[in-house]
Amino acid sequence: REKAVTVGLILSWYATSIICNQSSKQLLSQAFVNSETLTLAQLFMSIVCGALVIFGFRVAPFEGVSSRPVLGEVSLVALANCLGVGLMNACFGVMHVSMVMVLRALEPLTTLFAGLVLNSKTSVPPARLAALNLVVVGCGLSAIGAHGPTALGLALVLACNFCFSFRNTMGKSLGEKMGPISQIFHMSWIGVIIQACIILGSALIKGTALPAPPPASA
């Protein structure tokens, strides 16, 4: 039964990822929203889904933030997740979805790097390193062609991978203090605050958040 549940979760994750990625690309290509606003909307929907799972369907109990250090950890994970989602949406704006996903497949390599940075005692088995090298070669071969990555797109995907890798690595440590569903719920509402601040800061820098000064009288 546990294997069936695991397979079901993996298939659900895969299917929803396809829907999310394709719909994101459509929204961005048709200029309905920009990547910053789309990220905010996605994080808000994550709050709604988390609330339904926890408080509506009661699939998992709600676990609050128990202390200030835990809040700090959750906030760091939320920041990494928020930046990762925002960068991936930005990637969809400059590259084809399939190319973004090809380069996103390099995330295990950046996760390995993140693990080494956050935990110097981490060791890498030779077999795992060899497998990751095959992933790198496969991604490189898949990226060759007319729809190959642009320099900007490659930089955005690399930054996105690092953000998600640090999120996963830090989230694994945080998982010892709260369950995954509550962790995602807290990540989402903190992420909304972070993304709202990013949008406001961007608007202030561009000068669009302040009312235009009245025209000078002749």
Side-chain angles (χ1 to χ4, degrees):
R1 187 174 181 275
E2 291 182 358
K3 290 183 178 180
V5 171
T6 301
V7 171
L9 289 173
I10 292 174
L11 292 176
S12 298
W13 166 77
Y14 191 73
T16 53
S17 293
I18 293 174
I19 295 171
C20 180
N21 294 338
Q22 293 293 338
S23 59
S24 296
K25 177 65 177 180
Q26 288 296 319
L27 289 171
L28 291 169
S29 63
Q30 296 177 20
F32 287 128
V33 293
N34 57 27
S35 60
E36 293 176 342
T37 306
L38 179 60
T39 301
L40 182 66
Q42 289 170 334
L43 291 170
F44 180 78
M45 286 306 300
S46 182
I47 297 176
V48 174
C49 292
L52 285 174
V53 171
I54 295 173
F55 304 110
F57 301 114
R58 300 186 182 276
V59 174
F62 174 73
E63 299 173 71
V65 179
S66 57
S67 63
R68 185 171 295 180
V70 174
L71 177 61
E73 288 185 53
V74 178
S75 298
L76 284 175
V77 175
L79 175 62
N81 181 66
C82 179
L83 293 176
V85 174
L87 287 166
M88 186 164 67
N89 286 331
C91 291
F92 291 144
V94 297
M95 283 195 301
H96 194 274
V97 174
S98 59
M99 179 53 59
V100 174
M101 291 299 102
V102 165
L103 297 175
R104 284 279 294 118
L106 290 172
E107 186 181 330
L109 191 63
T110 54
T111 299
L112 175 62
F113 177 79
L116 293 173
V117 170
L118 296 175
N119 185 4
S120 58
K121 297 180 180 180
T122 301
S123 59
V124 184
R128 182 181 300 176
L129 188 59
L132 289 176
N133 286 332
L134 289 176
V135 172
V136 173
V137 173
C139 289
L141 293 174
S142 299
I144 297 174
H147 297 286
T150 61
L152 175 60
L154 192 60
L156 289 172
V157 172
L158 184 62
C160 170
N161 282 350
F162 273 112
C163 287
F164 282 139
S165 294
F166 279 102
R167 178 202 65 182
N168 296 339
T169 304
M170 292 185 293
K172 186 175 181 180
S173 173
L174 186 62
E176 300 173 359
K177 299 163 188 173
M178 68 172 62
I181 295 179
S182 289
Q183 183 182 146
I184 293 173
F185 180 75
H186 291 303
M187 258 180 14
S188 300
W189 69 259
I190 295 175
V192 164
I193 296 174
I194 293 172
Q195 186 62 21
C197 291
I198 290 174
I199 292 175
L200 178 60
S202 176
L204 288 172
I205 291 173
K206 295 175 183 176
T208 58
L210 300 177
S217 56

CSV table of all heavy atoms in Angstrom, one decimal, residues 35-86:
chain,number,residue,atom,x,y,z
A,35,SER,N,6.4,37.8,-14.6
A,35,SER,CA,6.9,36.7,-13.8
A,35,SER,C,6.8,37.0,-12.3
A,35,SER,O,6.5,36.1,-11.5
A,35,SER,CB,8.4,36.4,-14.1
A,35,SER,OG,9.2,37.6,-13.9
A,36,GLU,N,6.9,38.3,-11.9
A,36,GLU,CA,6.8,38.6,-10.5
A,36,GLU,C,5.4,38.4,-9.9
A,36,GLU,O,5.2,37.8,-8.9
A,36,GLU,CB,7.2,40.1,-10.2
A,36,GLU,CG,8.7,40.3,-10.5
A,36,GLU,CD,9.1,41.8,-10.4
A,36,GLU,OE1,8.1,42.6,-10.4
A,36,GLU,OE2,10.3,42.1,-10.2
A,37,THR,N,4.4,38.9,-10.7
A,37,THR,CA,3.0,38.7,-10.3
A,37,THR,C,2.6,37.3,-10.3
A,37,THR,O,1.8,36.8,-9.4
A,37,THR,CB,2.1,39.6,-11.2
A,37,THR,OG1,2.5,40.9,-11.2
A,37,THR,CG2,0.6,39.6,-10.7
A,38,LEU,N,3.0,36.5,-11.3
A,38,LEU,CA,2.7,35.1,-11.4
A,38,LEU,C,3.2,34.4,-10.2
A,38,LEU,O,2.6,33.5,-9.7
A,38,LEU,CB,3.3,34.5,-12.7
A,38,LEU,CG,3.0,33.1,-13.0
A,38,LEU,CD1,1.5,32.7,-13.0
A,38,LEU,CD2,3.7,32.6,-14.2
A,39,THR,N,4.5,34.7,-9.8
A,39,THR,CA,5.0,34.0,-8.6
A,39,THR,C,4.2,34.3,-7.4
A,39,THR,O,4.0,33.4,-6.6
A,39,THR,CB,6.5,34.5,-8.4
A,39,THR,OG1,7.3,34.2,-9.6
A,39,THR,CG2,7.1,33.9,-7.2
A,40,LEU,N,3.8,35.5,-7.2
A,40,LEU,CA,2.9,35.9,-6.1
A,40,LEU,C,1.6,35.1,-6.1
A,40,LEU,O,1.2,34.5,-5.1
A,40,LEU,CB,2.6,37.4,-6.1
A,40,LEU,CG,1.8,37.9,-4.9
A,40,LEU,CD1,2.5,37.8,-3.6
A,40,LEU,CD2,1.4,39.4,-5.1
A,41,ALA,N,1.0,35.0,-7.3
A,41,ALA,CA,-0.3,34.2,-7.4
A,41,ALA,C,-0.1,32.8,-7.1
A,41,ALA,O,-0.9,32.1,-6.4
A,41,ALA,CB,-0.8,34.4,-8.8
A,42,GLN,N,1.0,32.2,-7.6
A,42,GLN,CA,1.3,30.8,-7.3
A,42,GLN,C,1.5,30.5,-5.8
A,42,GLN,O,1.0,29.5,-5.3
A,42,GLN,CB,2.5,30.3,-8.1
A,42,GLN,CG,2.3,30.2,-9.6
A,42,GLN,CD,3.5,30.0,-10.5
A,42,GLN,OE1,4.6,30.4,-10.0
A,42,GLN,NE2,3.4,29.4,-11.6
A,43,LEU,N,2.3,31.4,-5.2
A,43,LEU,CA,2.5,31.2,-3.7
A,43,LEU,C,1.2,31.3,-3.0
A,43,LEU,O,0.9,30.6,-2.0
A,43,LEU,CB,3.5,32.2,-3.2
A,43,LEU,CG,5.0,32.0,-3.7
A,43,LEU,CD1,5.8,33.2,-3.4
A,43,LEU,CD2,5.5,30.7,-3.1
A,44,PHE,N,0.3,32.3,-3.4
A,44,PHE,CA,-1.0,32.4,-2.7
A,44,PHE,C,-1.8,31.2,-2.9
A,44,PHE,O,-2.5,30.7,-2.0
A,44,PHE,CB,-1.7,33.7,-3.3
A,44,PHE,CG,-3.0,33.9,-2.6
A,44,PHE,CD1,-3.1,34.5,-1.4
A,44,PHE,CD2,-4.2,33.6,-3.3
A,44,PHE,CE1,-4.3,34.7,-0.8
A,44,PHE,CE2,-5.4,33.8,-2.7
A,44,PHE,CZ,-5.5,34.3,-1.4
A,45,MET,N,-1.8,30.6,-4.1
A,45,MET,CA,-2.6,29.4,-4.3
A,45,MET,C,-2.0,28.2,-3.5
A,45,MET,O,-2.8,27.3,-3.1
A,45,MET,CB,-2.6,29.0,-5.8
A,45,MET,CG,-3.4,29.9,-6.7
A,45,MET,SD,-5.2,30.0,-6.1
A,45,MET,CE,-5.6,28.2,-6.2
A,46,SER,N,-0.7,28.2,-3.3
A,46,SER,CA,-0.1,27.2,-2.4
A,46,SER,C,-0.6,27.3,-1.0
A,46,SER,O,-0.9,26.3,-0.3
A,46,SER,CB,1.4,27.4,-2.4
A,46,SER,OG,2.0,26.4,-1.7
A,47,ILE,N,-0.9,28.5,-0.5
A,47,ILE,CA,-1.5,28.7,0.8
A,47,ILE,C,-2.9,28.1,0.8
A,47,ILE,O,-3.3,27.4,1.7
A,47,ILE,CB,-1.6,30.2,1.2
A,47,ILE,CG1,-0.2,30.8,1.3
A,47,ILE,CG2,-2.3,30.4,2.5
A,47,ILE,CD1,-0.2,32.3,1.5
A,48,VAL,N,-3.7,28.4,-0.2
A,48,VAL,CA,-5.1,27.9,-0.3
A,48,VAL,C,-5.1,26.4,-0.3
A,48,VAL,O,-5.8,25.8,0.4
A,48,VAL,CB,-5.8,28.5,-1.6
A,48,VAL,CG1,-7.1,27.9,-1.7
A,48,VAL,CG2,-5.9,30.0,-1.5
A,49,CYS,N,-4.2,25.8,-1.1
A,49,CYS,CA,-4.2,24.3,-1.2
A,49,CYS,C,-3.7,23.7,0.1
A,49,CYS,O,-4.3,22.7,0.6
A,49,CYS,CB,-3.2,23.9,-2.3
A,49,CYS,SG,-3.8,24.3,-4.0
A,50,GLY,N,-2.7,24.4,0.8
A,50,GLY,CA,-2.2,23.9,2.0
A,50,GLY,C,-3.3,24.0,3.1
A,50,GLY,O,-3.5,23.0,3.9
A,51,ALA,N,-4.1,25.1,3.1
A,51,ALA,CA,-5.2,25.2,4.1
A,51,ALA,C,-6.2,24.2,3.9
A,51,ALA,O,-6.8,23.6,4.8
A,51,ALA,CB,-5.7,26.6,4.0
A,52,LEU,N,-6.5,23.9,2.6
A,52,LEU,CA,-7.5,22.8,2.3
A,52,LEU,C,-7.1,21.5,2.8
A,52,LEU,O,-7.8,20.7,3.4
A,52,LEU,CB,-7.8,22.8,0.8
A,52,LEU,CG,-8.7,23.9,0.2
A,52,LEU,CD1,-8.7,23.8,-1.3
A,52,LEU,CD2,-10.1,23.8,0.8
A,53,VAL,N,-5.8,21.1,2.6
A,53,VAL,CA,-5.3,19.8,3.0
A,53,VAL,C,-5.2,19.7,4.5
A,53,VAL,O,-5.6,18.7,5.1
A,53,VAL,CB,-3.9,19.7,2.4
A,53,VAL,CG1,-3.2,18.4,3.0
A,53,VAL,CG2,-3.9,19.5,0.9
A,54,ILE,N,-4.8,20.8,5.2
A,54,ILE,CA,-4.6,20.7,6.6
A,54,ILE,C,-6.0,20.9,7.4
A,54,ILE,O,-6.3,20.1,8.2
A,54,ILE,CB,-3.6,21.8,7.1
A,54,ILE,CG1,-2.2,21.5,6.5
A,54,ILE,CG2,-3.5,21.9,8.6
A,54,ILE,CD1,-1.2,22.6,6.8
A,55,PHE,N,-6.7,22.0,7.0
A,55,PHE,CA,-7.9,22.3,7.8
A,55,PHE,C,-9.2,21.8,7.2
A,55,PHE,O,-10.2,21.6,7.9
A,55,PHE,CB,-8.0,23.9,8.0
A,55,PHE,CG,-6.8,24.5,8.6
A,55,PHE,CD1,-5.9,25.3,7.8
A,55,PHE,CD2,-6.5,24.3,9.9
A,55,PHE,CE1,-4.8,25.9,8.4
A,55,PHE,CE2,-5.3,24.9,10.5
A,55,PHE,CZ,-4.5,25.6,9.7
A,56,GLY,N,-9.2,21.6,5.9
A,56,GLY,CA,-10.4,21.1,5.2
A,56,GLY,C,-10.5,19.6,5.2
A,56,GLY,O,-11.3,19.0,5.9
A,57,PHE,N,-9.5,19.0,4.5
A,57,PHE,CA,-9.5,17.5,4.4
A,57,PHE,C,-8.8,16.8,5.6
A,57,PHE,O,-8.9,15.6,5.8
A,57,PHE,CB,-8.9,17.1,3.1
A,57,PHE,CG,-9.5,17.6,1.9
A,57,PHE,CD1,-8.8,18.5,1.1
A,57,PHE,CD2,-10.8,17.3,1.6
A,57,PHE,CE1,-9.5,19.0,-0.1
A,57,PHE,CE2,-11.4,17.8,0.4
A,57,PHE,CZ,-10.8,18.7,-0.4
A,58,ARG,N,-8.1,17.6,6.4
A,58,ARG,CA,-7.4,17.1,7.6
A,58,ARG,C,-6.5,15.9,7.3
A,58,ARG,O,-6.5,14.9,8.0
A,58,ARG,CB,-8.4,16.7,8.7
A,58,ARG,CG,-9.3,17.9,9.1
A,58,ARG,CD,-10.2,17.5,10.3
A,58,ARG,NE,-11.0,18.6,10.7
A,58,ARG,CZ,-10.6,19.6,11.5
A,58,ARG,NH1,-9.4,19.6,12.0
A,58,ARG,NH2,-11.4,20.6,11.8
A,59,VAL,N,-5.8,16.0,6.2
A,59,VAL,CA,-4.9,15.0,5.8
A,59,VAL,C,-3.7,14.9,6.7
A,59,VAL,O,-3.2,13.8,7.0
A,59,VAL,CB,-4.4,15.2,4.3
A,59,VAL,CG1,-3.3,14.2,4.0
A,59,VAL,CG2,-5.5,15.1,3.4
A,60,ALA,N,-3.3,16.0,7.3
A,60,ALA,CA,-2.2,16.1,8.2
A,60,ALA,C,-2.5,17.1,9.3
A,60,ALA,O,-3.2,18.1,9.0
A,60,ALA,CB,-0.9,16.4,7.5
A,61,PRO,N,-2.0,17.0,10.5
A,61,PRO,CA,-2.2,18.0,11.5
A,61,PRO,C,-1.5,19.2,11.3
A,61,PRO,O,-0.4,19.2,10.7
A,61,PRO,CB,-1.8,17.2,12.8
A,61,PRO,CG,-0.7,16.3,12.3
A,61,PRO,CD,-1.2,15.8,11.0
A,62,PHE,N,-2.0,20.3,11.7
A,62,PHE,CA,-1.3,21.6,11.6
A,62,PHE,C,-0.2,21.7,12.7
A,62,PHE,O,-0.4,21.4,13.8
A,62,PHE,CB,-2.3,22.8,11.8
A,62,PHE,CG,-1.6,24.1,11.8
A,62,PHE,CD1,-1.1,24.7,10.6
A,62,PHE,CD2,-1.4,24.8,13.0
A,62,PHE,CE1,-0.4,25.9,10.6
A,62,PHE,CE2,-0.8,26.1,13.0
A,62,PHE,CZ,-0.3,26.6,11.8
A,63,GLU,N,1.0,22.1,12.2
A,63,GLU,CA,2.1,22.2,13.2
A,63,GLU,C,2.6,23.7,13.0
A,63,GLU,O,3.0,24.1,12.0
A,63,GLU,CB,3.2,21.3,12.8
A,63,GLU,CG,2.9,19.8,12.9
A,63,GLU,CD,3.9,18.9,12.4
A,63,GLU,OE1,5.0,18.8,13.0
A,63,GLU,OE2,3.8,18.3,11.3
A,64,GLY,N,2.5,24.4,14.1
A,64,GLY,CA,2.9,25.8,14.1
A,64,GLY,C,4.4,25.9,14.3
A,64,GLY,O,5.2,25.0,14.5
A,65,VAL,N,4.9,27.2,14.2
A,65,VAL,CA,6.3,27.4,14.3
A,65,VAL,C,6.6,27.5,15.8
A,65,VAL,O,6.1,28.4,16.5
A,65,VAL,CB,6.7,28.8,13.6
A,65,VAL,CG1,8.2,29.1,13.8
A,65,VAL,CG2,6.4,28.7,12.1
A,66,SER,N,7.4,26.6,16.3
A,66,SER,CA,7.6,26.4,17.8
A,66,SER,C,8.5,27.4,18.4
A,66,SER,O,8.4,27.7,19.6
A,66,SER,CB,8.1,25.0,18.0
A,66,SER,OG,9.3,24.8,17.4
A,67,SER,N,9.4,28.1,17.7
A,67,SER,CA,10.4,29.0,18.3
A,67,SER,C,10.9,29.9,17.3
A,67,SER,O,10.7,29.8,16.1
A,67,SER,CB,11.5,28.2,18.9
A,67,SER,OG,12.2,27.5,17.9
A,68,ARG,N,11.6,31.0,17.8
A,68,ARG,CA,12.2,31.9,16.8
A,68,ARG,C,13.2,31.3,15.9
A,68,ARG,O,13.3,31.7,14.7
A,68,ARG,CB,12.7,33.1,17.6
A,68,ARG,CG,13.3,34.3,16.8
A,68,ARG,CD,13.6,35.5,17.6
A,68,ARG,NE,12.5,36.0,18.2
A,68,ARG,CZ,12.5,37.1,19.0
A,68,ARG,NH1,13.7,37.7,19.3
A,68,ARG,NH2,11.4,37.6,19.6
A,69,PRO,N,14.1,30.5,16.4
A,69,PRO,CA,15.1,29.8,15.5
A,69,PRO,C,14.4,29.0,14.4
A,69,PRO,O,14.9,29.1,13.3
A,69,PRO,CB,15.9,28.9,16.5
A,69,PRO,CG,15.8,29.6,17.8
A,69,PRO,CD,14.4,30.1,17.9
A,70,VAL,N,13.3,28.3,14.8
A,70,VAL,CA,12.6,27.6,13.7
A,70,VAL,C,12.0,28.5,12.7
A,70,VAL,O,12.0,28.3,11.5
A,70,VAL,CB,11.5,26.7,14.4
A,70,VAL,CG1,10.7,26.0,13.3
A,70,VAL,CG2,12.2,25.6,15.3
A,71,LEU,N,11.5,29.7,13.2
A,71,LEU,CA,10.9,30.7,12.3
A,71,LEU,C,12.0,31.2,11.3
A,71,LEU,O,11.8,31.4,10.1
A,71,LEU,CB,10.3,31.8,13.0
A,71,LEU,CG,9.8,33.0,12.2
A,71,LEU,CD1,8.7,32.5,11.3
A,71,LEU,CD2,9.3,34.1,13.1
A,72,GLY,N,13.2,31.4,11.8
A,72,GLY,CA,14.4,31.8,11.0
A,72,GLY,C,14.7,30.8,9.9
A,72,GLY,O,14.9,31.1,8.8
A,73,GLU,N,14.7,29.5,10.3
A,73,GLU,CA,14.9,28.4,9.4
A,73,GLU,C,13.8,28.4,8.3
A,73,GLU,O,14.1,28.2,7.1
A,73,GLU,CB,15.0,27.1,10.1
A,73,GLU,CG,16.3,26.9,10.9
A,73,GLU,CD,16.3,25.5,11.5
A,73,GLU,OE1,16.2,24.5,10.7
A,73,GLU,OE2,16.5,25.3,12.7
A,74,VAL,N,12.6,28.4,8.7
A,74,VAL,CA,11.5,28.4,7.7
A,74,VAL,C,11.6,29.6,6.8
A,74,VAL,O,11.3,29.5,5.6
A,74,VAL,CB,10.1,28.4,8.5
A,74,VAL,CG1,9.0,28.4,7.5
A,74,VAL,CG2,10.0,27.2,9.4
A,75,SER,N,11.9,30.7,7.3
A,75,SER,CA,12.0,31.9,6.5
A,75,SER,C,13.1,31.8,5.4
A,75,SER,O,13.0,32.2,4.3
A,75,SER,CB,12.3,33.2,7.4
A,75,SER,OG,11.2,33.4,8.3
A,76,LEU,N,14.3,31.2,5.8
A,76,LEU,CA,15.3,31.0,4.8
A,76,LEU,C,14.9,30.0,3.7
A,76,LEU,O,15.2,30.2,2.6
A,76,LEU,CB,16.6,30.4,5.6
A,76,LEU,CG,17.4,31.4,6.4
A,76,LEU,CD1,18.5,30.7,7.1
A,76,LEU,CD2,18.0,32.5,5.4
A,77,VAL,N,14.2,28.9,4.1
A,77,VAL,CA,13.7,28.0,3.2
A,77,VAL,C,12.6,28.7,2.3
A,77,VAL,O,12.6,28.5,1.0
A,77,VAL,CB,13.0,26.8,3.9
A,77,VAL,CG1,12.4,25.8,2.9
A,77,VAL,CG2,14.1,26.0,4.7
A,78,ALA,N,11.8,29.5,2.9
A,78,ALA,CA,10.8,30.2,2.1
A,78,ALA,C,11.4,31.2,1.1
A,78,ALA,O,11.0,31.4,0.0
A,78,ALA,CB,9.8,31.0,3.0
A,79,LEU,N,12.5,31.9,1.5
A,79,LEU,CA,13.2,32.8,0.6
A,79,LEU,C,13.8,32.0,-0.6
A,79,LEU,O,13.7,32.5,-1.7
A,79,LEU,CB,14.3,33.5,1.4
A,79,LEU,CG,15.2,34.4,0.6
A,79,LEU,CD1,14.4,35.5,0.0
A,79,LEU,CD2,16.4,35.0,1.5
A,80,ALA,N,14.5,30.9,-0.3
A,80,ALA,CA,15.0,30.1,-1.4
A,80,ALA,C,14.0,29.6,-2.3
A,80,ALA,O,14.1,29.6,-3.5
A,80,ALA,CB,15.8,28.9,-0.8
A,81,ASN,N,12.8,29.2,-1.8
A,81,ASN,CA,11.7,28.7,-2.6
A,81,ASN,C,11.1,29.8,-3.4
A,81,ASN,O,10.9,29.7,-4.6
A,81,ASN,CB,10.6,28.1,-1.7
A,81,ASN,CG,9.5,27.5,-2.5
A,81,ASN,OD1,9.6,26.6,-3.3
A,81,ASN,ND2,8.3,28.1,-2.4
A,82,CYS,N,10.9,31.0,-2.8
A,82,CYS,CA,10.3,32.1,-3.5
A,82,CYS,C,11.2,32.6,-4.7
A,82,CYS,O,10.7,32.8,-5.8
A,82,CYS,CB,10.1,33.3,-2.5
A,82,CYS,SG,9.5,34.8,-3.2
A,83,LEU,N,12.5,32.7,-4.4
A,83,LEU,CA,13.5,33.1,-5.5
A,83,LEU,C,13.5,32.0,-6.6
A,83,LEU,O,13.6,32.3,-7.8
A,83,LEU,CB,14.9,33.3,-4.9
A,83,LEU,CG,15.0,34.5,-3.9
A,83,LEU,CD1,16.4,34.5,-3.3
A,83,LEU,CD2,14.7,35.8,-4.6
A,84,GLY,N,13.5,30.7,-6.2
A,84,GLY,CA,13.5,29.7,-7.2
A,84,GLY,C,12.3,29.7,-8.1
A,84,GLY,O,12.4,29.6,-9.3
A,85,VAL,N,11.1,29.9,-7.5
A,85,VAL,CA,9.9,29.9,-8.3
A,85,VAL,C,9.9,31.2,-9.2
A,85,VAL,O,9.6,31.1,-10.4
A,85,VAL,CB,8.6,30.0,-7.4
A,85,VAL,CG1,7.4,30.2,-8.3
A,85,VAL,CG2,8.5,28.7,-6.6
A,86,GLY,N,10.3,32.3,-8.7
A,86,GLY,CA,10.4,33.5,-9.5
A,86,GLY,C,11.4,33.4,-10.6
A,86,GLY,O,11.1,33.8,-11.8
